Amino acid sequence: MAPCPPPDTTGGARDQAAGSLRPVSAVRHPGFEPGEALPATLDALVTAQAVAVRAAAAEGPLVLLGRSAGGWVAHAVAERLESEGAAPAAVVLVDTYPPGHGDRGQALSAMTSDMLRRAAEFASAGPDRLTAMAGYFELFSGWIPAPLACPTLYVRARDTLPGAEPAPDWSLPHAEVTVDRDHFTMLEEHARTTALAIHRWLGAGPV
C-alpha cells in the first residue's frame, strides 16, 4: 500500500543476489491532500483500497506493503482480498505498531514531533497529513487484525526515535528483519537497504 523502492542493482556484485527489479505501484490513501475528504468508515476505506489494488496490480503475484499505520491498511486490505478469493502473495509491515497497543501514544508523540519538524522543512510533509493521520487512527479504533493465510514480513527499524520505545512485536505469525536507522530514514536515505531486505525475503519464499 506504500511504495517499496526496488534495489539499485547497478552497484556491482554485492547486488547480484537481489535478482531482477520488481514492478511497484503506490496506492494513495484518500484524505491526505488539502481539502480531500477522509473515508467515512473503515469499511469504505478498505473497499476503496481493495478496488485500487486490484486495478493497479499487474499480472503475477501481488504483495501489499505499508509503513506505520499504513501497515494496518495493508493488512486490512489483505483480509478483504483473501475473503474475495484474490489473496496477495504476502504482506510487508514496515515499523507498524500493533493497533491499540498501550505504548502507542508515546510512539505517536515522538513521530508527531518529528513530522512537525519535517513539515517546517519540506512542503510535502504539511499539517494536512497530520490531520489525516488522526482521522485514520479514529477509523482503526477498535480494529483487531485477523490472521492471514499469506506470509507476513515485519520490517523493524534498528534505531528508535528520541523519546520512543522500539515497536512491540506484531502479535500474529510473521517473519522479521531489522534494517538500518529509524522509522523515517529507513524509507528515506536508507530506502535502498530496506528495499533490498524485503526483496531478498520475497525471493527466498513468498514470491
Side-chain angles (χ1 to χ4, degrees), residues 42 72 79 98-101 104 135-146:
L42 179 57
W72 302 346
E79 292 180 27
H101 184 78
R104 194 181 70 186
Y136 272 66
F137 289 132
E138 181 65 25
L139 286 177
F140 279 91
S141 176
W143 175 73
I144 300 175

Side-chain angles (χ1 to χ4, degrees), residues 80-175:
R80 175 66 59 85
L81 293 177
E82 284 191 346
S83 73
E84 296 174 349
V91 171
V92 178
L93 307 175
V94 180
D95 220 40
T96 296
Y97 278 63
H101 184 78
D103 294 337
R104 194 181 70 186
Q106 179 187 20
L108 291 179
S109 177
M111 292 176 191
T112 300
S113 296
D114 208 325
M115 287 191 69
L116 288 172
R117 177 184 63 78
R118 289 160 184 264
E121 299 176 4
F122 306 105
S124 61
D128 292 306
R129 294 180 60 82
L130 296 177
T131 302
M133 284 177 59
Y136 272 66
F137 289 132
E138 181 65 25
L139 286 177
F140 279 91
S141 176
W143 175 73
I144 300 175
L148 296 173
C150 67
T152 298
L153 174 66
Y154 190 97
V155 184
R156 182 181 296 277
R158 184 192 65 194
D159 301 331
T160 59
L161 296 172
E165 296 294 326
D169 290 336
W170 188 254
S171 59
L172 298 176
H174 65 279

Side-chain angles (χ1 to χ4, degrees), residues 12 15 30 43 53 56 61 67 71 75 80 87-88 129 139 163 193 196 198 205:
D15 289 328
D43 182 70
V53 166
R67 180 181 70 167
H75 194 286
R80 175 66 59 85
R129 294 180 60 82
L139 286 177
T193 300
L196 184 57
I198 295 168

Side-chain angles (χ1 to χ4, degrees), residues 179-195:
V179 298
D180 289 342
R181 299 309 170 92
D182 64 33
H183 181 81
F184 294 102
T185 57
M186 66 192 298
L187 284 184
E188 293 172 354
E189 57 261 41
H190 294 277
R192 179 186 170 281
T193 300
T194 302

